[in-house]
Amino acid sequence: MPQKSLFFHHVHSTCKGVNGIKIQNGGIVTDTSASNHLPGWEDVESKIPLNVEEPPMEEPEPQPDRLLVLKVLWNDFLMCYSSRPLLCWSVWWALSTCGYFQVINYTQGLWEQVMPSRNAAIYNGGVEAVSTLLGAVAVFAVGYIKISWSTWGEMTLSLCSLLIAAAVYIMDTVGNIWVCYASYVVFRIIYMLLITIATFQIAANLSMERYALVFGVNTFIALALQTLLTLIVVDASGLGLEITTQFLIYAGYFALIAVVFLANGIVTIMKKYTKQEDPESSSQVTTS
């Protein structure tokens, strides 16, 4: 855990103490020799006296300027997302998480339409458990994959997003419950695999104190997009589409993500190989 906040709750490293209780780095540190002499202080946190006379403070601790804090927060936000790799992985995080939440929230309704529970035995809970277990295995295995994510990361995101789109499309169009189950397992495995890689890649480009800022913003954008998508596609005040049409839209949504990252990945690879060719050509000119 980070030892301090970059924006809020700044605490001086020097200890301030009253009757054996010290505040250090935002936490309570008890002095047992002093606290044992105080009656009824078995539980320090719940039995701190309310009327303890404190020594006069020389000068009040200045409160942080809220506007200044917000300004620093905004500047830090811009600085974090000025990193192209971090921006790329964060965009995929937000877009894909939005689609992922939509699929897992409404897939039970799709399965009910494909195979009504009143007509046959269903295994929805078992499929959820199996997909989670296999996703965990895939996440563990990805640690052994050796790949240059700075070069091939966007192409990987594009390919896997296309596979997710295909899994959602098959689940929507094939009227067989076992095919739906298999497609759902593939969908969750790929997403859990990629979200783990994305988490690592984002964290690798950040200091520890900025984790909450970036991951919080990414998750907020994902939930905001999901809310908007729900209002447009699902809610009766919007289009109020049938469940099969909804999943067709979700498949197209992931396909669009794949196209965007495919184009971005091609540009990244071209730039990388262009930079590699420039030193070679300049060295040849120097030699001649």
Side-chain angles (χ1 to χ4, degrees), residues 2-121:
Q3 299 300 315
K4 63 179 180 178
S5 169
L6 289 179
F7 314 107
F8 306 100
H9 311 299
H10 288 286
V11 179
H12 298 292
S13 59
T14 58
C15 301
K16 299 178 181 180
V18 179
N19 292 333
I21 299 179
K22 298 180 180 180
I23 307 299
Q24 184 175 17
N25 292 332
I28 297 178
V29 181
T30 60
D31 185 352
T32 54
S33 61
S35 62
N36 288 338
H37 291 85
L38 296 176
W41 275 41
E42 295 85 356
D43 186 354
V44 176
E45 293 184 3
S46 62
K47 298 184 179 181
I48 296 177
L50 300 179
N51 57 352
V52 175
E53 295 184 1
E54 299 184 4
M57 298 182 66
E58 297 179 358
E59 52 183 50
E61 185 175 346
Q63 296 295 325
D65 186 353
R66 294 181 183 275
L67 293 178
L68 180 61
V69 168
L70 292 176
K71 182 179 179 181
V72 172
L73 187 65
W74 175 250
N75 291 335
D76 209 67
F77 168 83
L78 295 178
M79 184 179 67
C80 289
Y81 286 94
S82 63
S83 169
R84 189 179 182 279
L86 188 146
L87 180 62
C88 172
W89 289 98
S90 294
V91 168
W92 184 89
W93 170 300
L95 294 178
S96 63
T97 300
C98 165
Y100 174 78
F101 284 158
Q102 284 297 101
V103 171
I104 64 173
N105 285 346
Y106 295 99
T107 189
Q108 301 279 346
L110 178 65
W111 292 346
E112 181 67 22
Q113 181 165 323
V114 173
M115 177 65 72
S117 56
R118 64 180 180 273
N119 297 336

Side-chain angles (χ1 to χ4, degrees), residues 191-249:
Y191 173 81
M192 293 172 69
L193 184 71
L194 287 182
I195 202 68
T196 304
I197 298 171
T199 301
F200 172 77
Q201 293 298 318
I202 293 172
N205 289 278
L206 287 175
S207 63
M208 188 180 297
E209 291 81 7
R210 293 181 173 89
Y211 286 174
L213 171 65
V214 174
F215 288 122
V217 168
N218 292 349
T219 304
F220 174 79
I221 294 174
L223 295 177
L225 290 174
Q226 185 201 359
T227 302
L228 182 62
L229 191 59
T230 302
L231 288 174
I232 296 174
V233 176
V234 181
D235 196 79
S237 60
L239 298 177
L241 301 174
E242 295 289 335
I243 189 69
T244 53
T245 309
Q246 292 177 29
F247 272 75
L248 191 61
I249 291 176

Side-chain angles (χ1 to χ4, degrees), residues 117-224:
S117 56
R118 64 180 180 273
N119 297 336
I122 58 174
Y123 303 93
N124 297 359
V127 172
E128 293 282 0
V130 169
S131 62
T132 303
L133 177 62
L134 294 180
V137 173
V139 167
F140 180 77
V142 75
Y144 297 95
I145 298 177
K146 305 300 180 183
I147 184 174
S148 175
W149 295 109
S150 60
T151 304
W152 301 101
E154 293 169 4
M155 297 297 291
T156 303
L157 292 176
S158 174
L159 177 60
C160 292
S161 297
L162 186 61
L163 293 176
I164 290 177
V168 175
Y169 179 79
I170 292 172
M171 184 165 52
D172 179 53
T173 55
V174 177
N176 184 288
I177 191 62
W178 293 106
V179 176
C180 290
Y181 285 161
S183 300
Y184 181 76
V185 170
V186 171
F187 163 78
R188 289 202 68 195
I189 289 174
I190 296 175
Y191 173 81
M192 293 172 69
L193 184 71
L194 287 182
I195 202 68
T196 304
I197 298 171
T199 301
F200 172 77
Q201 293 298 318
I202 293 172
N205 289 278
L206 287 175
S207 63
M208 188 180 297
E209 291 81 7
R210 293 181 173 89
Y211 286 174
L213 171 65
V214 174
F215 288 122
V217 168
N218 292 349
T219 304
F220 174 79
I221 294 174
L223 295 177

